[in-house]
Amino acid sequence: MDRDHPQAALGVIGAGYVGLVTGVCFAHLGFDVVCMDLDQSKIDRLRRGVIPIYEPGLDELLARVRERLLFTTSYDELLDCCAIVFVAVDTPPSPAGDADLSRVERVVREVAARGGERLLVMKSTVPVGTGDRVMAQIKALGATSIGYVSNPEFLREGAAIDDVRHPDRVVVGAYEEAAGDRVAALYASLEAPIVRTTVPTAEMIKYASNAFLATKISFINEIANVCDEVGADVRTVAEGMGLDRRIGSHFLQAGIGYGGSCFPKDVQALKQLAGNSGYHFQLLNAVIEVNALQKRRLVGQLKKRLGTLRDVRVTLLGLTFKPHTDDLREASSIVLAARLRAEGATVAAYDPTILAGDDVHFPGVRIAGSALEALEGADAAVLVTEWPQFSEFDWAAGRQAMRGSVVLDGRNFLDGDAVRAAGLSYDGIGIGGTVSGPDEPPA
Ligand code: UDX
């Protein structure tokens, strides 16, 4: 820390995904950073250089910038060093369906109680109107020297460092131009477009972006379902659509639906926000419903192949909501495993980041130590998460281990020809034109 310039460090409150990656990346840009979290064990681990989340490359980057980072559980220690404080605390869904802002409110109380001139920069995903609410709280606490800027974060898990260091845009929503200038200046070296706007507009950009991406996914999933009916291949449909620059090729991968900590929560929160404001957001209802149905379709596809699922053994390959993360929040695998078990199936699974014993999300599911072990005795294999190692899986060995011959690719990720060449059937999502049984009868 630069002890000669006592308030020059950047503060980050909340050492979760967003906070930690933000802190480490700002340290990499050359800033001194104080990261605070109330979780003592998390801070202890970070002090030892141990990253409490699974994010490729973050541990190496932390090691490189370690001397510019201070980890603490103390508000006093953070506020001694920092005038600009990023807020990156959790905003989980409340029982009423909107975001629970109690942690944000606590931060405001703690910061206000310590006095001094501060700029709170909101990184947590918060509903439109949160800035106004925080400003009212600040006013009620008499802490008028606290300013507020909305600076939403768009990082993806698994690609977080790259997303923060090379953002498509930086959004800065401010009540006062000078406050916006101070935050925009922090990003000057990134050479990303900076969208300067009001606080409610910045808050809306975050929700609208996530809701639009989720809409793209539900749209392509419905196209996939129609492809199955008419014998078209959604992969090529998506490629053909994506080449139109107005559409773009990203987020057009059909599959078993979106999960994770953001899309399900943010789409729901935007729908709720619209409803609370008297507007019925019809499109988002469909986006949510299509996403829920997509997991059930897969169960239907299995039934088509196998008839009843009673006493059938199904193996799930991949459990996390996407590859390159150990995050199971809103993962499609959780619903899928529960549905399969409800239908009477016996379920086994393998995921490179989920150990046997980590089965709180998967009661009654056998978690194996390898894909091959998970497939032992299986009637059907379902690819749930497109971990790269599954593309190299030896399906001939898989065939030997399995009792049956059904492979269902929930992400259109496997090489269907290689699977069929091993004597297995192969189905994907919306690749109706290419669905077929084994090339040769199983040995
Ligand atoms: C998302 C946003 O991308 C990010 O900008 C925001 O800050 C947080 O939410 P993340 O949840 O980490 O990031 O993952 P992302 O890569 O966006 O994937 C979300 C879900 O959509 C995953 O379950 C993924 O499998 C699914 N998905 C994504 C598809 O089903 N098809 C696609 O084409 C893309």
Side-chain angles (χ1 to χ4, degrees):
M1 288 300 119
D2 183 350
R3 301 284 173 201
D4 298 333
H5 300 90
Q7 294 279 291
L10 297 179
V12 181
I13 298 181
Y17 239 105
V18 169
L20 201 52
V21 177
T22 301
V24 172
C25 288
F26 271 120
H28 186 252
L29 285 178
F31 294 94
D32 285 332
V33 177
V34 181
C35 261
M36 199 218 102
D37 199 290
L38 293 177
D39 182 340
Q40 182 72 56
S41 68
K42 192 187 265 187
I43 291 300
D44 288 343
R45 273 181 285 164
L46 284 165
R47 284 178 177 152
R48 294 198 306 272
V50 179
I51 300 277
I53 54 172
Y54 179 97
E55 182 61 37
L58 192 56
D59 43 1
E60 290 111 70
L61 197 60
L62 172 67
R64 275 165 58 195
V65 299
R66 188 66 192 84
E67 76 285 358
R68 285 199 286 278
L69 272 161
L70 193 144
F71 293 105
T72 181
T73 54
S74 153
Y75 275 97
D76 291 322
E77 194 168 10
L78 178 129
L79 295 171
D80 273 353
C81 308
C82 310
I84 298 181
V85 180
F86 287 94
V87 181
V89 293
D90 263 14
T91 53
S94 75
D98 36 26
D100 172 2
L101 293 178
S102 56
R103 292 172 180 84
V104 171
E105 285 160 5
R106 175 166 184 188
V107 168
V108 175
R109 276 198 309 276
E110 297 281 359
V111 172
R114 284 160 178 84
E117 211 168 293
R118 313 279 171 204
L119 185 55
L120 293 180
V121 187
M122 185 57 67
K123 276 257 173 233
S124 300
T125 303
V126 290
V128 182
T130 299
D132 290 357
R133 204 166 132 176
V134 169
M135 287 313 281
Q137 192 192 354
I138 288 170
K139 202 168 155 206
L141 292 165
T144 44
S145 56
I146 299 181
Y148 183 93
V149 167
S150 167
N151 176 216
E153 182 49 63
F154 299 94
L155 65 82
R156 290 162 301 165
E157 290 183 18
I161 296 172
D162 202 47
D163 284 351
V164 171
R165 285 165 61 183
H166 308 286
D168 287 343
R169 79 303 209 183
V170 173
V171 175
V172 177
Y175 292 105
E176 287 167 6
E177 203 170 337
D181 289 344
R182 282 173 77 192
V183 175
L186 303 175
Y187 293 96
S189 63
L190 295 184
E191 289 171 9
I194 296 186
V195 180
R196 295 286 300 267
T197 182
T198 63
V199 170
T201 302
E203 292 168 342
M204 186 53 114
I205 290 172
K206 170 69 188 182
Y207 271 122
S209 301
N210 275 357
F212 184 76
L213 292 169
T215 303
K216 254 184 132 175
I217 297 170
S218 278
F219 180 85
I220 200 67
N221 282 338
E222 290 221 280
I223 294 288
N225 300 343
V226 180
C227 283
D228 269 336
E229 300 301 324
V230 300
D233 186 334
V234 73
R235 295 167 298 187
T236 316
V237 172
E239 188 189 342
M241 286 169 64
L243 286 168
D244 185 328
R245 275 172 294 171
R246 293 168 303 174
I247 298 173
S249 60
H250 298 289
F251 281 70
L252 286 179
Q253 274 164 35
I256 55 174
Y258 60 78
S261 65
C262 290
F263 285 176
K265 168 170 87 95
D266 292 356
V267 176
Q268 187 62 40
L270 181 54
K271 178 191 142 180
Q272 186 90 7
L273 178 89
N276 292 348
S277 323
Y279 183 74
H280 180 61
F281 205 142
Q282 300 216 48
L283 188 57
L284 291 187
N285 280 327
V287 169
I288 293 166
E289 194 184 339
V290 168
N291 198 52
L293 289 174
Q294 204 63 10
K295 292 157 209 158
R296 288 174 174 264
R297 260 187 84 83
L298 215 101
V299 176
Q301 266 176 297
L302 274 178
K303 278 186 180 165
K304 256 190 212 160
R305 279 280 179 193
L306 295 162
T308 173
L309 295 182
R310 182 146 298 280
D311 300 326
V312 159
R313 295 189 202 162
V314 181
T315 294
L316 306 181
L317 295 177
L319 293 170
T320 52
F321 83 94
K322 66 172 191 178
H324 311 294
T325 174
D326 61 355
D327 201 336
L328 286 169
R329 282 177 287 181
E330 299 286 336
S332 299
S333 59
I334 297 173
V335 176
L336 193 57
R339 280 267 18 109
L340 289 168
R341 281 181 35 79
E343 296 275 347
T346 303
V347 183
Y350 168 70
D351 185 287
T353 63
I354 310 294
L355 301 173
D358 286 2
D359 56 356
V360 280
H361 294 90
F362 302 101
V365 174
R366 176 174 68 90
I367 310 277
S370 73
L372 199 56
E373 195 190 317
L375 285 167
E376 202 63 54
D379 295 299
V382 180
L383 184 115
V384 177
T385 315
E386 64 277 34
W387 282 99
Q389 54 261 59
F390 293 144
S391 70
E392 285 145 30
F393 183 68
D394 177 355
W395 283 102
R399 176 72 187 98
Q400 292 292 321
M402 286 173 71
R403 183 169 80 173
S405 62
V406 173
V407 176
L408 195 47
D409 185 351
R411 299 285 178 183
N412 292 343
F413 177 69
L414 301 171
D415 176 352
D417 290 339
V419 176
R420 281 191 294 265
L424 297 154
S425 71
Y426 176 78
D427 296 280
I429 307 284
I431 52 178
T434 57
V435 170
S436 70
D439 283 345
E440 295 158 8

